[in-house]
Amino acid sequence: MSISKAQSLLRRASQTDDRLSRHLFVAAAIQEGLELMAVIVGGTAEEYWSSDDYHQTDLDLCASIGPEHHATLRTLGFARSGRHWEHGASGVAVEFPESEIDGDLSRTRTLTVGSGSVTIIGVEDLYVDRVRQATADNNDYGRFQSAFAIAVAQYEWIDWKYVQGRLRDLLVSDPIVGVASRAVDSRIRRRVRRLLTGVPPAT
Amino acid sequence: MNAVEIGIVLGRARRQAGVSQGELANRLGTSQPAVSRAESGVVMPGLDFIDRWAVAIGIPITLTMGAGAVPDDRDLKVRVEQALGGYTFDPWRRNPSAAERRSLQRDGLTREHFQSAVTAPTR
């Protein structure tokens, strides 16, 4: 285990003013220190892909974390606080919501961060997640804006055939959410196309 | 350039010319869905089709191949900010845990900070 390398990354995190960068350093430290793949999902992934200031509350990592990793986390300066592991020096709260991502591992992006690296969920899978969430939570406007921001930032480069395939699968596994998700996706793509082709917004 | 990028260029040019998809379809001898598919990037149009498109709308179309690069973060950030129209996500509306609250406060992202920003209702 490269504990010293992980500690070095955590020191960089503590010294970084930028919130997104700090989260990336902590994610890299966890991958390094625990020697496992920890895929960034949630708000940190959204901020990365949308280039927008999302103000994520925590760092969500999908990783197979077990009790055997807890001692190492404590050695690295993390303390348990409810569902989070809090790194006091950097002020980053880490949650491990799932052991695996809901999506295609081959679409994740690997970035070099300092002396380490991070793995971020693919933009298509993140977009599908946000679209699905926009249909839940009583049609949460914030979730819609999240999906919209991702589409605006990455429209030309998202694999829309893959996205449509995932939404078709959702129609089978959960028809109610599937129908609502397709409607949200359609609305978003129409709005983004109008934006990018210079159609003035409706008044 | 990929099909979606080309589709955006075609759509932008058509709108600039003030021609509807239906009218362009008539001029091209094709269907409106075919025009829509080209603009949506569902299909990769051939050069001949693009050339006929430019002639039909009366506006030259320029495609820059091999530029390759994604716009830099700053350009994307501006694009997204303009699209969101001042909307700011307020993390305090999601009932952050104690650890999350400490993390936000460390960066000055207090409840008061967001109350002064433009936020949207949850419905």
Side-chain angles (χ1 to χ4, degrees):
Chain A
M1 286 186 193
S2 184
I3 296 291
S4 60
K5 203 165 163 189
Q7 287 169 330
S8 169
L9 288 161
L10 288 169
R11 272 195 298 277
R12 291 283 305 270
S14 308
Q15 292 156 4
T16 301
D17 287 336
D18 179 71
R19 192 172 173 81
L20 174 61
S21 298
R22 204 179 312 135
H23 280 213
L24 295 182
F25 274 117
V26 170
I30 287 175
Q31 280 207 148
E32 188 66 39
L34 302 186
E35 291 188 329
L36 44 64
M37 179 186 283
V39 183
I40 297 173
V41 296
T44 304
E46 183 179 323
E47 182 155 343
Y48 173 77
W49 283 115
S50 71
S51 300
D52 189 39
D53 292 330
Y54 180 79
H55 307 305
Q56 64 277 36
T57 56
D58 62 1
L59 170 62
D60 291 314
L61 295 175
C62 284
S64 294
I65 295 288
E68 66 274 21
H69 299 111
H70 293 180
T72 305
L73 284 169
R74 290 193 180 92
T75 300
L76 291 175
F78 289 89
R80 197 75 183 256
S81 173
R83 68 181 193 276
H84 288 96
W85 284 90
E86 200 174 358
H87 187 253
S90 65
V92 175
V94 182
E95 184 181 0
F96 299 98
E98 302 286 346
S99 58
E100 291 176 353
I101 61 168
D102 180 11
D104 186 349
L105 262 184
S106 71
R107 291 178 182 271
T108 57
R109 177 168 284 192
T110 300
L111 291 183
T112 298
V113 176
S115 58
S117 66
V118 297
T119 310
I120 303 179
I121 189 170
V123 64
E124 293 86 4
D125 290 319
L126 179 66
Y127 173 75
V128 168
D129 174 71
R130 285 336 204 201
V131 164
R132 197 163 50 191
Q133 288 197 34
T135 69
D137 296 340
N138 208 15
N139 290 312
D140 189 329
Y141 181 75
R143 299 292 189 200
F144 179 90
Q145 290 290 69
S146 288
F148 180 54
I150 293 165
V152 167
Q154 301 291 332
Y155 186 78
E156 295 95 313
W157 305 285
I158 286 176
D159 182 348
W160 291 108
K161 281 197 176 134
Y162 172 76
V163 168
Q164 298 312 305
R166 286 220 48 205
L167 293 177
R168 269 197 303 274
D169 291 344
L170 192 53
L171 267 180
V172 173
S173 62
D174 191 334
I176 293 174
V177 172
V179 167
S181 294
R182 286 186 75 160
V184 167
D185 167 64
S186 184
R187 217 167 106 213
I188 286 174
R189 283 189 293 117
R190 199 165 46 243
R191 200 183 277 195
V192 173
R193 273 202 302 275
R194 289 169 67 88
L195 198 81
L196 296 181
T197 54
V199 175
T203 53
Chain B
M1 291 187 99
N2 61 32
V4 172
E5 290 170 294
I6 290 174
I8 289 170
V9 171
L10 294 179
R12 201 177 280 149
R14 177 183 62 76
R15 291 185 198 282
Q16 187 185 342
V19 177
S20 69
Q21 286 188 342
E23 178 57 30
L24 178 56
N26 286 338
R27 296 180 189 181
L28 290 173
T30 186
S31 65
Q32 182 272 330
V35 170
S36 176
R37 279 195 298 274
E39 291 188 5
S40 303
V42 173
V43 293
M44 173 66 91
L47 284 176
D48 176 65
F49 184 74
I50 296 171
D51 183 59
R52 290 195 294 120
W53 186 294
V55 170
I57 63 173
I59 288 180
I61 289 173
T62 300
L63 299 176
T64 304
M65 303 293 191
V70 175
D72 70 21
D73 272 356
R74 200 175 331 166
D75 293 337
L76 289 181
K77 192 176 168 65
V78 168
R79 186 203 277 195
V80 172
E81 281 175 354
Q82 287 176 347
L84 293 181
Y87 167 79
T88 301
F89 167 65
D90 178 1
W92 292 90
R93 298 173 76 95
R94 295 271 157 85
N95 295 320
S97 68
E100 289 171 311
R101 288 198 297 273
R102 284 189 287 273
S103 180
L104 288 168
Q105 284 159 350
R106 183 189 193 271
D107 285 332
L109 300 172
T110 60
R111 208 183 286 271
E112 294 71 28
H113 169 89
F114 289 96
Q115 278 168 358
S116 62
V118 175
T119 55
T122 52
R123 297 193 67 148

